[in-house]
Amino acid sequence: VLLDDLKKKDKTATDYNKTAMWHENFAARINQLPQTDVDPYMTQYGYTVASKLRTISASLKGVPVKTTAAMAGYNVQVSVVPTSRFRSGAYVTDNSADILAKQAQVVAKDELERDKVWGQLDEDRRQIRQKMIDKFKVDFDAVK
């Protein structure tokens, strides 16, 4: 349920730092779930999920840092061009398009990495569900 709730929130996220905090908070909530009489496989699964959520959080925190670092190469050149005997004009060039492209690459690459971790979380969930069905002969999702 916690993972489903986080996925829903994550889809509407617009702020990297806030979203990173959500992932940290959900990881903490998972680590704080009671473990008394819990199957050891489920306990390990909880630790794994929390760790992967923290990995996603770290990625989210890194995006603003990396996009700011891409700005370090920002360059502006101003050239003065005579337009007439008594006047001149300025011609400005910059590499903002290159910087924006680098920033977009950073965002896309990090998003791809986070999507991979979410894919791993989905696969982990599928595996633990099957393990619990095999062990206890009950589909706990079917029991309401």
Side-chain angles (χ1 to χ4, degrees), residues 88-121:
S88 59
Y91 179 69
V92 179
T93 60
D94 67 18
N95 64 338
S96 60
D98 294 337
I99 297 297
L100 290 173
K102 284 180 188 177
Q103 290 176 325
Q105 286 176 334
V106 165
V107 169
K109 181 180 178 216
D110 278 28
E111 185 174 350
L112 181 62
E113 293 301 317
R114 289 189 302 276
D115 285 347
K116 285 180 186 177
V117 177
W118 273 112
Q120 292 169 347
L121 284 166

Side-chain angles (χ1 to χ4, degrees), residues 29-112:
R29 288 172 66 185
I30 289 169
N31 280 342
Q32 293 169 357
L33 289 171
Q35 296 179 17
T36 305
D37 297 326
V38 174
D39 184 89
Y41 289 120
M42 288 300 294
T43 302
Q44 183 57 46
Y45 169 70
Y47 290 137
T48 300
V49 168
S51 175
K52 287 179 179 173
L53 291 179
R54 286 189 176 93
T55 298
I56 293 171
S57 175
S59 170
L60 288 162
K61 289 176 187 174
V63 171
V65 173
K66 291 176 185 176
T67 55
T68 300
M71 288 292 295
Y74 183 64
N75 186 12
V76 177
Q77 294 179 351
V78 179
S79 303
V80 176
V81 180
T83 57
S84 71
R85 183 174 170 192
F86 300 105
R87 297 184 124 186
S88 59
Y91 179 69
V92 179
T93 60
D94 67 18
N95 64 338
S96 60
D98 294 337
I99 297 297
L100 290 173
K102 284 180 188 177
Q103 290 176 325
Q105 286 176 334
V106 165
V107 169
K109 181 180 178 216
D110 278 28
E111 185 174 350
L112 181 62

Side-chain angles (χ1 to χ4, degrees), residues 45 52 117-129:
Y45 169 70
K52 287 179 179 173
V117 177
W118 273 112
Q120 292 169 347
L121 284 166
D122 290 340
E123 179 59 19
D124 291 348
R125 178 187 243 179
R126 187 197 65 72
Q127 287 180 7
I128 193 66
R129 288 186 56 182

